[in-house]
Amino acid sequence: MSVSALSLTRFAGSISGFLQVVSVLGLLLLLLKAVQFYLQRQWLLKAFQQFPSPPFHWFFGHKQFEGDQELQMIMKVVENFPNAFPRWFLGSQAYLKVYDPDYMKVIMGRSDPKAHIAYRLLAPWISYGLLLLNGQPWFQHRRMLTTAFHYDILKPYVKTMADSDKWEQLAAQGSSIEIFQHISLMTLDTVMKCAFSHKGSVQVDGNYKTYIQAIADLNNLFYSRVRNIFHQNDTIYSLSSNGRLADRVCQLTHYHTDGVIKMRKDQLQDEGELEKVKKKRRLDFLDILLFARTENGDSLSDKDIRAETHSCSRAMTPQPEDSPESSMLWPHTLNTNRDAGRKFRASWGMDPPLPGKSSKGGRTFILWDGPCFRDHLDQMPYTTMCIKEAMRLYPPVPGVVRELSKPVTFPDGRSLPKVILSIYALHHNLEMWPNPEVFDPSRFAPDSPRHSHSFLSFSGGARNCIGKQFAMNELKVVVALTLLCFELLADCTRVPVPLRQLVLKAKNGIYLQLKKIH
């Protein structure tokens, strides 16, 4: 046999041996994963044995809850399984879906961290700020940022919120309009002006429409990734088309945030501007970040400032934790109950005149910048009732996930290892809310008895929404400014269908017609 032939034979033999080794290692790895799957599944079955569950596939879990009808399917299950039920995502991955207020109270009263397996997927987008931090770092940031949301500090924002409302222009169109982007831009306009002292108008600047679309894309991409077992791995996801798109969109949002921070830093380089800021009675959110010091006396890093700026953009919108479209489903709620709109306007009766109002030429104006009106924000009971009832029907964030650091036992004696707090199911729980699909603001009347944890649109406990008061102020201003001037007419051909994603969205948009009230 020639030397070359012998070399080829040896090479072929070595390749064959290598493939055999790889095959054996692959089989061993597969066997190991199968054993892990079995042991994890058995552990979960035992842990959840006290909680009955609707039928599920041994490997794929509750596939019936996926898709556009997830919320509707879950609500059917809630009727038959009181308190909670195990929600299986895969044969070896499950969480207890909780929707009982007593159970909620137990969990909210603890300091368990948010579930890393789910929320870490948000990190490339919003970084590790107040929303994603846990433990001592979270406590330090929360304490530092609380001053930015003090009630007295929020009062001067009222006129800015009112100035961001552009309904008059939309009403002139006459036809039914999809209001998602208009509300998103209006809300972002308010946040930019109040939190970052932005001088321009987000609603006029076309560049911000791209930013709003990027936020919507990231919401969709995040929800899609959570549902894909293979995309849980960062390397595999980065190689996928969705992963590459997510990276590009993240860069766009970071570019926007970095631009806001850089602009403010450049302004503060001027000594005159710096002294002017230091003398201000109220520092805006970004000022507080730039002047903040850690316990060691160090300034916050650019990474920390960016993370908290992203968090602020979520926390200060009219819903906890995310983009502006979700809780603004309230216009549809009010336009389908026109009695509520009329009662609202009647509650703002002109005789006696409401503090902060002025009459001129037969028309009534609201003095949004007057101290009387700002103080009156606490004295708008029916407005508050309408807003809360709308947010009960359409909670902005339909659920949160917690990882339990130690076992927990509920008041009825049952216990669990992992938990999803289903705010949507809680808000539609027949035990707490009779006729839960009916819009009834009287549920939130001041004298109406209600469980302390039956309404959690802004979450609860130590990790409640830091921007809650800001959001409620903005909603009151927008609702008042809208319903005093316009009647909201329903487009019966296009009724919003709630769709569960990172935030609650409307599958087919939110269409309204605004009719000017003369």
Side-chain angles (χ1 to χ4, degrees), residues 75 389 392-393 424 427-428 433-439 443:
M75 291 315 304
E389 174 64 354
R392 181 194 66 80
L393 280 167
Y424 186 91
H427 286 184
H428 293 75
W433 310 101
N435 301 315
E437 301 304 322
V438 175
F439 179 78
R443 301 179 200 270

Side-chain angles (χ1 to χ4, degrees), residues 155-206:
K155 284 183 180 180
Y157 289 146
V158 170
K159 186 176 185 299
T160 301
M161 294 173 181
D163 289 342
S164 297
D165 193 301
K166 306 298 181 185
W167 291 118
E168 190 91 26
Q169 301 172 16
L170 299 179
Q173 299 181 23
S175 59
S176 177
I177 56 173
E178 205 291 309
I179 63 170
F180 160 75
Q181 189 173 80
H182 300 293
I183 288 177
S184 298
L185 287 171
M186 181 189 70
T187 308
L188 182 61
D189 201 5
T190 301
V191 172
M192 291 295 293
K193 289 174 179 176
C194 295
F196 308 122
S197 299
H198 183 67
K199 302 300 182 185
S201 174
V202 167
Q203 299 174 78
V204 174
D205 188 345

